Amino acid sequence: DNLVMADHDSHASEFFAWISIAIPSAARGALELLPWFATLAFVGNGLGSDELAALSLAEAWGYFWLITAWNGVYGTTSTLVSQSYGAGQYRAARGWLLLSFALITAMSVVAALAWANTVPVLTAVGFDSTLVQIGSTFLVPAIPVLFLNCIIIPTGAYLTATHAPWIAATLEFISCILDIIFSYVFIIGVGSFKGMGLPGAALGWTLAS
């Protein structure tokens, strides 16, 4: 009976440990998308249908490169750092973090080139040139976000690996709130300050990051 109880307690503690990591990680992933929807709402209501269509196209093109450059590295880094940290191999954990920083930096250079060439690439494959031109006014000024994430992603992986995912989720929440506020201010404007349109969305995203 004691063995059964001990085994039950072990499974219960593992379950709660999993919950303590899974919930903030899921929340962090959901929060990442919230500013995108808010930005679309601000642009659609404040600028017009052409700008909304152009932003949607730019976000689709840009997010393709975000997934390529970030998500795979983040997941792999979190796993490897967690294993190394749990085994007490702190030098190995540091090595994985440094490697992820180098990989994301290299991938961000490629993504930055793709973003910088949004107009010729998307026009060449048949997208409306007017929409592409408008969309590029968001994507090109947002290039610094790529390189900011060279620091943000390894930091998030470290916090997750060291069982501090709530810190990462809290930081993500703060960033989302700032992103929504900045986007509204810089896209539409407040008081005597006139909004900047799509470049304002890029500025808000960069500042929040």
Side-chain angles (χ1 to χ4, degrees):
D1 290 342
N2 291 335
L3 290 176
V4 171
M5 289 296 295
D7 185 60
H8 179 271
D9 291 342
S10 175
H11 286 303
S13 63
E14 289 176 358
F15 173 75
F16 286 114
W18 176 80
I19 287 293
S20 68
I21 296 174
I23 290 179
S25 296
R28 184 169 178 260
L31 286 171
E32 289 178 350
L33 297 176
L34 184 60
W36 294 84
F37 289 113
T39 301
L40 288 171
F42 297 151
V43 170
N45 290 315
L47 300 182
S49 57
D50 286 346
E51 286 77 5
L52 178 60
L55 178 62
S56 300
L57 175 60
E59 286 189 346
W61 172 244
Y63 198 65
F64 167 80
W65 292 98
L66 299 190
I67 293 174
T68 302
W70 297 347
N71 289 5
V73 176
Y74 174 80
T76 304
T77 302
S78 297
T79 300
L80 294 173
V81 173
S82 180
Q83 291 174 346
S84 300
Y85 191 87
Q89 299 174 349
Y90 304 119
R91 182 174 295 180
R94 182 180 64 179
W96 290 122
L97 288 171
L98 292 175
L99 178 60
S100 72
F101 172 81
L103 285 173
I104 294 171
T105 300
M107 291 178 175
S108 293
V109 170
V110 176
L113 292 173
W115 287 19
N117 290 280
T118 295
V119 173
V121 173
L122 294 188
T123 302
V125 296
F127 287 99
D128 182 82
S129 59
T130 301
L131 293 181
V132 171
Q133 287 283 354
I134 297 173
S136 69
T137 64
F138 162 75
L139 209 52
V140 174
I143 286 176
V145 174
L146 290 168
F147 297 97
L148 287 172
N149 276 271
C150 296
I151 298 173
I152 294 171
I153 290 177
T155 302
Y158 171 78
L159 291 173
T160 300
T162 55
H163 306 294
W166 285 106
I167 297 177
T170 301
L171 292 174
E172 186 71 39
F173 175 76
I174 294 171
S175 176
C176 286
I177 297 301
L178 291 175
D179 195 346
I180 292 171
I181 294 172
F182 291 156
S183 293
Y184 181 85
V185 171
F186 293 121
I187 292 173
I188 299 176
V190 174
S192 60
F193 176 77
K194 294 183 178 180
M196 302 164 58
L198 293 189
L203 178 59
W205 187 19
T206 302
L207 291 176
S209 297

